[in-house]
Amino acid sequence: MSGGAGRPIGVFDSGIGGLTVVRALMERLPMEDIVYFGDTARVPYGVKSVATIGQFTAQITDFLLQQDVKMLIVACNTMAAVAAEVVRQRAGDIPVLDVIEAGARAAVAEAPGGRMGVIGTPTTINSNAYARRIHALDPAVRVYSRACPLFVPLVEEGWLDHEVTRLTAQEYLRPVLAEEVDGLVLGCTHYPLLKPLLRDVVGPGVKLIDSASTTAEFAAASLQAAGLAHVSELPARYRYVVTDVPLRFQTIGERFLGRSLGRVEKVDW
């Protein structure tokens, strides 16, 4: 394992949602090289057993460690909820960050002892991972969770400001907003694309906590603390590795990333 800050950051997800985290990292840390891994052949993970998710996560972690990464970011809420420990065990002394840890820290900082809503996929919400982590950081925070299963297909359809999406959001968020929450954690990497619409639905009094930007902030602070921040005159290099290239991958991926993906590599397992 070569030393030094010039090594890339490894970011991974069960599919393409983690590209919102990559986008936030590009904006916050423009000099850092990034290798992104999306397990597009085996997505969605949410319907799989904990043992299977753990096995897939271990496989991806090993692949990224072979790419000589200096940090690993679990950019998938499902993986972070049930398999973050698998990553930490394999990574050794390489820092491991995950979207749930970053979101929970931001939630507690935003409303100490307050009331916090959390939305995510059914798997993430049923795992109770956000509520557990938030309570570990601040037992006084009240957490109100809500699964929003229709948001992922609506985002992938590109219906980011569609009336159907707005009505769905109003329906999902009604019970959470009734609890007069101080903030709302967007506990799925697809959800940052819905931020403008969700801001309209929740109103100005509720702070939206976006797991992509909070993870990028967390990564910046962690790299600085570990002496691994990269300073370079050269443009950063980005690699995108997937296990399958579905027909719509390029289109959806570029929407998530906010720029062209360029070349996408495919690995066969």
Side-chain angles (χ1 to χ4, degrees):
M1 186 73 62
S2 67
R7 292 178 289 151
I9 298 170
V11 183
F12 64 97
D13 182 28
S14 57
I16 56 173
L19 289 172
T20 57
V21 174
V22 173
R23 181 180 188 165
L25 286 166
M26 288 171 164
E27 289 165 7
R28 181 67 183 79
L29 298 165
M31 293 179 193
E32 298 290 351
D33 294 349
I34 297 170
V35 180
Y36 178 78
F37 190 102
D39 194 2
T40 44
R42 301 187 292 202
V43 71
Y45 274 29
V47 294
K48 294 175 171 61
S49 70
V50 170
T52 300
I53 295 167
Q55 188 188 328
F56 291 174
T57 303
Q59 208 175 359
I60 296 165
T61 302
D62 291 347
F63 174 86
L64 285 170
L65 292 172
Q66 285 161 15
Q67 313 309 306
D68 197 19
V69 295
K70 63 179 176 181
M71 170 182 273
L72 282 167
I73 297 178
V74 188
C76 168
N77 285 272
T78 303
M79 287 168 156
V82 301
E85 210 37 57
V86 171
V87 184
R88 291 192 172 91
Q89 283 166 7
R90 299 178 100 80
D93 57 358
I94 290 172
V96 176
L97 276 54
D98 71 75
V99 281
I100 292 178
E101 179 69 22
R105 286 182 180 216
V108 167
E110 183 58 41
R115 304 161 82 81
M116 191 56 60
V118 177
I119 55 173
T121 63
T123 310
T124 300
I125 297 304
N126 292 340
S127 75
N128 221 20
Y130 272 101
R132 278 205 312 273
R133 192 64 198 123
I134 289 169
H135 286 146
L137 294 166
D138 183 350
V141 176
R142 301 287 295 275
V143 179
Y144 303 93
S145 303
R146 181 83 159 126
C148 303
L150 292 174
F151 279 170
V152 167
L154 287 167
V155 167
E156 292 195 356
E157 199 55 53
W159 290 12
L160 306 182
D161 192 30
H162 196 288
E163 192 53 28
V164 168
T165 312
R166 189 173 298 274
L167 291 168
T168 304
Q170 286 167 350
E171 196 60 40
Y172 279 151
L173 294 176
R174 191 173 291 124
V176 177
L177 296 174
E179 299 293 347
E180 298 182 342
V181 292
D182 302 298
L184 183 69
V185 178
L186 310 186
C188 171
T189 49
H190 281 61
Y191 297 179
L193 281 92
L194 293 174
K195 236 166 135 176
L197 181 143
L198 292 172
R199 194 170 278 122
D200 285 352
V201 172
V202 303
V206 178
K207 167 82 173 174
L208 293 182
I209 295 161
D210 159 357
S211 53
S213 56
T214 56
T215 301
E217 286 300 331
F218 193 16
S222 302
L223 289 173
Q224 207 64 49
L228 289 171
H230 190 212
V231 180
S232 169
E233 298 298 313
L234 299 169
R237 289 166 304 178
Y238 305 121
R239 279 178 67 199
Y240 307 98
V241 184
V242 295
T243 46
D244 187 25
V245 188
L247 205 54
R248 295 165 65 221
F249 179 78
Q250 205 85 19
T251 318
I252 299 171
E254 289 179 359
R255 191 185 302 139
F256 277 57
L257 201 59
R259 64 175 79 189
S260 166
L261 273 169
R263 193 167 76 87
V264 176
E265 301 168 43
K266 180 175 173 289
V267 294
D268 293 307
W269 278 343

